[in-house]
Amino acid sequence: MQLTVIGITHKTAPIEVREKFYLKPLERELLLRMLQNNVLVYEGLVISTCNRTEIYANTSEGNTQELWDILSRVKGMPCDTLFKKHFFALSGRAAVRHLFEVACGLDSLILGEKQILGQLKESVDLSRRMGMLARPFNILTHIAVRTGKKARSQTQIDAGGSSVSWAAIVKAEKELETLEGRSVLIIGAGKMGKIAVRHLKAKGVSDIYITNRTLETARDLANECGVSAAAFWEIEHVLPRVDVCLCSAGAPHYLIEKEIIEKTMRARPDKKLVCVDISMPRNISPETGSVRNVSLITIDELDEVMADTMEKRLAAVEEVTMIIRDKIDVFFDALHKDTGGVPVNQAALGVPV
């Protein structure tokens, strides 16, 4: 068997390419089912977030072409040379190291960010429910999660704020100089929307509106957080009242088109509007950024907000790297013991014996 990963991340591709390969929940299940039905694949794990889509597999031959073909079929598009140049492929020890780096936030757009560990746990749970974790991947993912926790508890890799929502709000604050007394519309009542509400309240925002495709979901979060809910169809009526529009909806198409923003700004020509799109795929049209007095911020720009805490985090990278190095050895030792001391698994997983 051979441990292999193929993936596309913020380091290898811009958002307009990454969003083409973002896997919605049902697509992740479909991809895992296709891996399960492939006789060359024994185990599988899929991670798909706003910054990465990665497919880990334990295969008989370590041939990445099987993974390319399955991803291509799930997305209904050819993974040709044009797109393949944006992907990476790793095997054996390098693949294990990469997963551990992801768990620790070393490979994140925002160094040390915390959300990726929760996203990894969700991916592991999905693979487990679908029967795609056998003993090797159970050991691998368990140690990966432990590594991520240890890195954050024993180093300063996540010093200061470190979520995508936090970075989005800091970026918006810099655009407007202050958020105190401002009004904000949040599109999307999921986890990132909930985190955003908490950070916005801490910044002294006066009015927060939450909208969602399902009004009841928006109302539930609004009631929980003590803010206002708005129906989806009310977006055009709410926009003229706010200073910031933060979108984290994850719809398969643009929710905010240039025409909507142009209409909004005609009603408030001298008042600036900051639009922040942290959705994957993008839900605010890139053309909105060309409208006068409108600033459009996308997820790829959020690494700029880390200057204040970056020094502490960079100082922690070496410590985290040492933790990862130790945990890689722990993984292969555990795999070795699990097979009664037969070293063939290490060689089969791409590691010299």
Side-chain angles (χ1 to χ4, degrees):
M1 294 184 289
Q2 178 84 25
L3 172 59
T4 304
V5 57
I6 65 168
I8 184 170
T9 77
H10 65 98
K11 291 183 176 180
T12 65
I15 189 169
E16 56 265 27
V17 176
R18 293 200 313 276
E19 66 185 1
K20 295 180 185 297
F21 296 95
Y22 174 74
L23 296 167
K24 298 186 286 291
L26 287 178
E27 290 177 323
R28 293 171 215 172
E29 292 184 19
L30 175 60
L31 194 146
L32 283 170
R33 190 65 67 201
M34 293 174 74
L35 288 175
Q36 192 174 49
N37 292 334
N38 191 304
V39 295
L40 299 177
V41 179
Y42 302 110
E43 301 175 274
L45 177 73
V46 178
I47 303 173
S48 194
T49 72
C50 51
N51 288 321
R52 71 187 64 252
T53 292
E54 298 179 352
I55 305 170
Y56 295 81
N58 194 355
T59 68
S60 60
E61 300 174 357
N63 184 358
T64 59
Q65 189 59 48
E66 295 292 331
L67 306 185
W68 291 116
D69 292 344
I70 289 174
L71 177 60
S72 177
R73 293 202 296 275
V74 169
K75 295 306 298 181
M77 60 192 302
C79 290
D80 54 24
T81 305
L82 177 63
F83 291 123
K84 268 192 175 183
K85 68 180 181 181
H86 294 291
F87 278 77
F88 68 89
L90 300 169
S91 61
R93 196 176 188 92
V96 174
R97 180 183 298 107
H98 178 74
L99 178 61
F100 290 3
E101 288 174 346
V102 169
C104 293
L106 290 191
D107 198 62
S108 295
L109 176 70
I110 301 171
L111 181 66
E113 58 102 356
K114 300 173 183 177
Q115 283 180 292
I116 187 60
L117 191 56
Q119 292 162 336
L120 172 58
K121 290 178 183 178
E122 291 175 358
S123 296
V124 172
D125 289 341
L126 177 60
S127 288
R128 183 172 289 116
R129 289 198 307 270
M130 296 188 66
M132 285 302 289
L133 294 188
R135 188 63 177 167
F137 266 31
N138 264 308
I139 296 173
L140 175 68
T141 55
H142 177 66
I143 294 176
V145 171
R146 281 169 49 196
T147 303
K149 289 180 178 179
K150 184 173 183 178
R152 290 171 177 84
S153 65
Q154 296 188 9
T155 77
Q156 294 201 65
I157 195 64
D158 62 348
S162 61
S163 70
V164 170
S165 297
W166 169 82
I169 289 163
V170 171
K171 185 73 172 174
E173 184 178 38
K174 288 184 176 180
E175 287 286 332
L176 295 171
E177 296 184 350
T178 181
L179 289 178
E180 189 171 357
R182 303 282 191 173
S183 298
V184 178
L185 169 64
I186 299 175
I187 303 176
K191 290 180 181 178
M192 288 199 287
K194 186 174 182 178
I195 294 170
V197 172
R198 187 176 73 245
H199 288 303
L200 286 167
K201 286 190 141 189
K203 297 285 186 182
V205 170
S206 60
D207 298 299
I208 300 174
Y209 304 91
I210 299 174
T211 186
N212 195 70
R213 279 170 291 185
T214 306
L215 179 57
E216 193 61 35
T217 303
R219 282 176 176 161
D220 288 344
L221 181 57
N223 291 335
E224 179 185 342
C225 300
V227 298
S228 303
F232 221 53
W233 59 267
E234 293 181 292
I235 288 177
E236 290 189 44
H237 302 292
V238 176
L239 275 172
R241 304 182 220 159
V242 301
D243 303 286
V244 179
C245 174
L246 175 63
C247 190
S248 62
H253 52 78
Y254 295 142
L255 299 175
I256 305 293
E257 297 280 1
K258 182 181 180 182
E259 291 74 19
I260 294 176
I261 297 299
E262 287 177 330
K263 181 180 178 181
T264 296
M265 298 311 289
R266 281 197 293 270
R268 42 176 285 176
D270 299 319
K271 187 178 180 182
K272 187 172 185 177
L273 175 65
V274 178
C275 295
V276 189
D277 192 356
I278 56 175
S279 307
M280 178 57 74
R282 289 171 295 176
N283 287 170
I284 299 179
S285 169
E287 295 181 359
T288 61
S290 64
V291 178
R292 182 177 174 273
N293 269 345
V294 174
S295 293
L296 175 62
I297 300 167
T298 64
I299 200 163
D300 282 356
E301 299 170 58
L302 299 185
D303 59 341
E304 299 172 8
V305 309
M306 293 304 300
D308 294 339
T309 57
M310 187 58 72
E311 187 175 344
K312 289 182 180 179
R313 295 188 181 205
L314 287 174
V317 169
E318 186 175 349
E319 294 177 77
V320 175
T321 301
M322 291 176 65
I323 290 172
I324 290 172
R325 188 182 303 126
D326 291 341
K327 290 297 185 181
I328 292 173
D329 291 336
V330 169
F331 165 64
F332 284 111
D333 286 346
L335 199 64
H336 179 71
K337 291 174 183 176
D338 191 60
T339 56
V342 180
V344 65
N345 287 282
Q346 290 200 37
L349 284 167
V351 181
V353 178

